[in-house]
Amino acid sequence: MLNRDKRSYSIQAVENALTILEAFGEIDGEVRITRLSEMLEIDKSYVFRLLATFEERGYIEKAERTGRYRLGLAAYVTGQKILSRMGLLTKAKPVMERLARACDEAVYLAVPRNREVLMLDMVDTTQVVGTVSFVGNAYPLTKTVAGKVLLAFGTDLTGRAEEDTPSSLQDELVAIRKEGAGLDSECIGAGTACLAVPLFNAQGKVPGSLCVVGPEFRFSNEHCENHLLPALKAAGEIISTRLGSHFGFSKVPGREALPADLTFCGSWQGGRVGSRF
């Protein structure tokens, strides 16, 4: 059988339809056909026909008052079905919920996507002052700690040779690997801090990172070191165990093993790892 480039099998009409659907995922609110056509550089009449098809299937809705279009319920339902069947999210979500309650900050699950890290899902905080949702946002791997954690523990750096990686980034990745975690501020949003640890599967690979996210003013060094970080690391170990891992960041060569009695903050202070899960 002849080898053919995958591109030769692509269907332009399907590509255009997916381009439109993906664009709605990036648009905050509603959009007119003319604007959508200009953004995507696709003929307006062609966009209209595709939107009519999506609207018939419930993936796109048209607001009667404004005549603008937005994502429909079918797109949401389909997305939720896909998320519910993802092994990583299924195993991580209960732990994320408990961690969010314990630390009273938003907890995110981030996964690699090509050269980016995608904020796949989150459990929000009950605090009055929080942050906007970053679910669905993608960032360059090298620009946020959620991605740098993936790089530090095994995710290939966008296909580039290690010697091509800036020395400052290499130093940062070495530090993250040594500490088993990373912290940054304002990398995913103004005034926002993100603390992240890696997750490991049965093969010792890193399918994602677990993050605690909140207003920067609540992430003092003392609070991170004494409360948020121990809780986050312990939760990361539990999720990794659920994924079949016997690896974990505490067993990375060159790192000292973490204490066996890492505790969770808040109402779990003093409880042993896993006792609340």
Side-chain angles (χ1 to χ4, degrees):
M1 182 176 179
L2 293 175
N3 289 325
R4 299 181 63 185
D5 187 275
K6 290 183 180 180
R7 188 73 182 177
S8 65
Y9 292 102
S10 65
I11 300 173
Q12 189 61 48
V14 177
E15 285 198 358
N16 288 338
L18 292 175
T19 296
I20 289 175
L21 198 57
E22 289 171 353
F24 274 95
E26 301 293 332
I27 295 171
D28 184 17
E30 302 173 348
V31 64
R32 294 188 183 278
I33 289 181
T34 301
R35 175 59 180 154
L36 191 60
S37 174
E38 293 172 351
M39 288 171 52
L40 304 179
E41 298 182 345
I42 300 176
D43 182 73
K44 181 177 178 180
S45 61
Y46 190 65
V47 171
F48 176 80
R49 292 197 299 272
L50 288 175
L51 288 180
T53 302
F54 280 133
E55 187 178 5
E56 184 178 356
R57 299 292 294 270
Y59 284 87
I60 295 294
E61 297 175 349
K62 183 178 181 180
E64 293 184 5
R65 186 176 63 83
T66 63
R68 297 178 178 179
Y69 292 83
R70 59 176 177 256
L71 276 179
L73 185 60
Y76 174 80
V77 172
T78 300
Q80 290 300 305
K81 287 180 179 178
I82 293 172
L83 289 177
S84 68
R85 292 172 185 169
M86 291 185 65
L88 173 58
L89 183 57
T90 300
K91 292 176 172 62
K93 194 61 176 276
V95 184
M96 292 169 62
E97 292 172 345
R98 290 166 174 81
L99 179 61
R101 289 200 298 270
C103 295
D104 209 6
E105 297 290 356
V107 175
Y108 282 79
L109 178 64
V111 296
R113 188 185 68 175
N114 300 323
R115 300 183 178 188
E116 298 177 319
V117 59
L118 173 69
M119 307 303 277
L120 180 66
D121 196 23
M122 65 93 77
V123 177
D124 207 355
T125 177
T126 59
Q127 299 232 37
V128 175
V129 179
T131 61
V132 298
S133 172
F134 300 107
V135 171
N137 289 5
Y139 307 90
L141 283 169
T142 60
K143 299 301 182 182
T144 177
V145 73
K148 292 174 184 176
V149 162
L150 300 177
L151 295 174
F153 289 89
T155 299
D156 181 36
L157 181 56
T158 67
R160 294 185 298 177
E162 183 176 348
E163 55 268 21
D164 294 331
T165 305
S167 58
S168 59
L169 177 58
Q170 289 188 33
D171 292 342
E172 190 172 355
L173 298 184
V174 169
I176 289 174
R177 187 177 178 87
K178 181 179 179 180
E179 295 299 326
L183 173 68
D184 66 22
S185 62
E186 300 201 338
C187 288
I188 63 174
T192 299
C194 178
L195 188 64
V197 299
L199 302 174
F200 295 91
N201 60 23
Q203 292 74 43
K205 304 296 184 181
V206 186
S209 57
L210 185 67
C211 312
V212 174
V213 176
E216 187 177 7
F217 69 84
R218 286 206 295 262
F219 280 60
S220 67
N221 289 338
E222 180 182 2
H223 186 54
C224 287
E225 182 178 352
N226 296 334
H227 298 285
L228 298 182
L229 187 55
L232 182 59
K233 283 183 174 180
E237 291 279 12
I238 292 168
I239 294 173
S240 295
T241 300
R242 290 186 172 195
L243 293 172
S245 173
H246 298 289
F247 189 66
F249 57 79
S250 61
K251 301 178 182 64
V252 173
R255 276 187 43 77
E256 296 180 358
L258 292 169
D261 60 346
L262 284 175
T263 56
F264 285 84
C265 59
S267 60
W268 293 343
Q269 189 70 35
R272 292 183 64 84
V273 173
S275 63
R276 305 291 178 168
F277 290 81

